[in-house]
Amino acid sequence: MNIQQLEYILAVDQFRHFAKAAEHCRVTQPTLSMMIQKLEDELGIKLFDRNTQPVRPTPSGRKVIDQARVVLQQTALIKDIVNEEEQSLKGTFRLSVLPTIAPYLLPRFFQQLAEEHTDLDIRVQEMQTLPTITALINGDIDAALIASHPLEQQLQGETLYYEEFFGYVSPNESIFKNELIRTSDINGERLWLLDEGHCFRDQLMRFCQLDKVKIHQAAYRLGSMETFMRMVESGNGITFIPELAVFQLSEEQKKLVRPFAIPKPTREIVLITRKDFIRHTIGNILTESIKKSVPKEMLTLKANQRIV
């Protein structure tokens, strides 16, 4: 039994397909299949039921795979311990960022971070909150930027900054003439929101009490925030954007922005890691870079803001 075999069975469990697992592991399918077969022979059990499509772990295989994940996590920690003792930036650092954070935050600091720390290899992927939590617990990523503190006992979080929500309103909407948006003014039939599963959507639904409101999402399901902004600019409806997005707008686009009345809905941007996280040197560099990149007034929660 070796580490490589454990990585292979985790890949098959993830993709439920030997060819896709082999591609992910950058080996040929015969090589991957042969290595898994050797492990099965050594253990005297079948790890996967190959007669089903997609393939799936056998009951005994499920237990072995779960333990393999623990072993690989602990193996990775050994390397992290060595790198941290040397305050080394070597090795890949896997960071997940919410899709509603990434396009507005990353351009503010990421290029400069890479230029200042040429040894740093941060691999960024966009992921929604629930898959992010699962990936972090499973050891598939090292840290994540989400919009709430984690509730899971294995995880911990550090608040980086606070970000208000703003309305983005078409001139054809009646509330366009208002300087402030009040939740009672929002007509859901003209509202564009992200799909379910985005915490950005969930937070605003709760704050604006939109549970019973019909939303345009039914007509345009797989929308993105940028798509909805273009819809508003074309004269159709209302959507919401995070504070950092406002800084990327042209002067003409900023005319469509409307702040909320007090209390202003605000989200808390949090860097989360596992409690056994070791790579504090990289974590501290990342945290410092992010905090320097956002306006100073966003580093503290104001009296007129409410966390949603």
Side-chain angles (χ1 to χ4, degrees):
M1 182 187 307
N2 58 50
I3 296 298
Q4 194 173 54
Q5 288 172 312
L6 301 184
E7 291 175 344
Y8 290 168
I9 65 173
L10 258 62
V12 174
D13 182 47
Q14 177 182 352
F15 293 99
R16 301 297 172 94
H17 193 280
F18 278 81
K20 292 179 181 178
E23 182 180 357
H24 174 76
C25 295
R26 298 182 180 179
V27 297
T28 64
Q29 182 178 342
T31 297
L32 180 136
S33 298
M34 179 186 67
M35 294 292 285
I36 292 178
Q37 181 66 57
K38 285 185 176 181
L39 179 58
E40 290 178 323
D41 292 343
E42 180 181 346
L43 296 175
I45 62 171
K46 287 293 183 183
L47 297 173
F48 296 99
D49 182 353
R50 294 165 173 81
N51 295 321
T52 62
Q53 290 296 331
V55 297
R56 61 185 181 189
T58 63
S60 297
R62 177 76 271 156
K63 295 177 182 178
V64 171
I65 290 167
D66 289 344
Q67 186 59 37
R69 182 171 285 109
V70 174
V71 171
L72 290 176
Q73 288 175 358
Q74 295 302 313
T75 302
L77 283 177
I78 293 174
K79 296 179 182 178
D80 290 346
I81 288 171
V82 173
N83 286 330
E84 188 60 28
E85 284 296 311
E86 298 176 349
Q87 293 190 326
S88 170
L89 303 183
K90 294 180 180 178
T92 301
F93 190 86
R94 301 156 301 174
L95 178 69
S96 173
V97 186
L98 290 186
T100 59
I101 296 177
Y104 313 112
L105 175 63
L106 293 181
R108 301 180 71 91
F109 79 93
F110 198 79
Q111 183 60 35
Q112 183 177 351
L113 178 66
E115 292 172 355
E116 292 178 353
H117 302 281
T118 55
D119 291 339
L120 191 56
D121 180 16
I122 297 183
R123 305 288 177 87
V124 178
Q125 57 182 309
E126 293 187 19
M127 221 181 332
Q128 294 181 25
T129 303
L130 289 180
T132 292
I133 296 297
T134 300
L136 196 54
I137 291 174
N138 290 342
D140 297 328
I141 56 175
D142 299 295
L145 291 170
I146 65 172
S148 61
H149 278 274
L151 300 177
E152 292 72 14
Q153 292 184 350
Q154 309 99 308
L155 305 181
Q156 60 189 355
E158 177 184 355
T159 300
L160 300 182
Y161 60 94
Y162 300 91
E163 184 172 38
E164 282 187 28
F165 295 103
F166 286 81
Y168 201 61
V169 185
S170 164
N172 294 331
E173 300 300 325
S174 60
I175 64 172
F176 179 78
K177 64 181 182 298
N178 299 345
E179 293 185 1
L180 298 173
I181 291 180
R182 293 174 174 80
T183 57
S184 58
D185 296 332
I186 297 172
N187 184 332
E189 292 183 354
R190 297 190 298 271
L191 180 63
W192 299 94
L193 284 182
L194 295 169
D195 283 342
E196 294 180 6
H198 287 274
C199 63
F200 189 92
R201 168 201 170 96
D202 298 339
Q203 290 165 333
L204 283 165
M205 289 283 287
R206 288 194 300 268
F207 180 80
C208 298
Q209 299 179 341
L210 298 175
D211 299 31
K212 299 180 181 179
V213 172
K214 178 182 177 182
I215 296 171
H216 267 327
Q217 183 199 6
Y220 196 99
R221 288 200 58 84
L222 299 178
S224 68
M225 191 177 299
E226 292 295 321
T227 301
F228 295 155
M229 291 173 69
R230 302 295 86 80
M231 297 295 287
V232 168
E233 291 163 6
S234 70
N236 189 353
I238 305 163
T239 193
F240 300 114
I241 61 175
E243 188 170 354
L244 287 183
V246 177
F247 291 94
Q248 296 183 1
L249 301 179
S250 68
E251 291 305 312
E252 194 65 24
Q253 289 173 316
K254 287 179 180 178
K255 295 177 182 178
L256 307 182
V257 175
R258 295 292 183 274
F260 276 86
I262 296 175
K264 299 177 180 294
T266 303
R267 63 178 181 173
E268 193 172 6
I269 307 302
V270 181
L271 178 69
I272 64 170
T273 59
R274 289 165 55 103
K275 286 185 177 177
D276 58 6
F277 179 73
I278 290 173
R279 306 200 69 182
H280 299 292
T281 299
I282 295 179
N284 292 339
I285 289 173
L286 184 61
T287 297
E288 182 180 354
S289 297
I290 292 173
K291 287 186 173 182
K292 283 183 177 179
S293 74
V294 301
K296 290 184 179 179
E297 59 268 22
M298 293 178 66
L299 298 178
T300 56
L301 184 68
K302 302 178 185 67
N304 64 355
Q305 296 175 328
R306 178 194 293 175
I307 299 293
V308 295

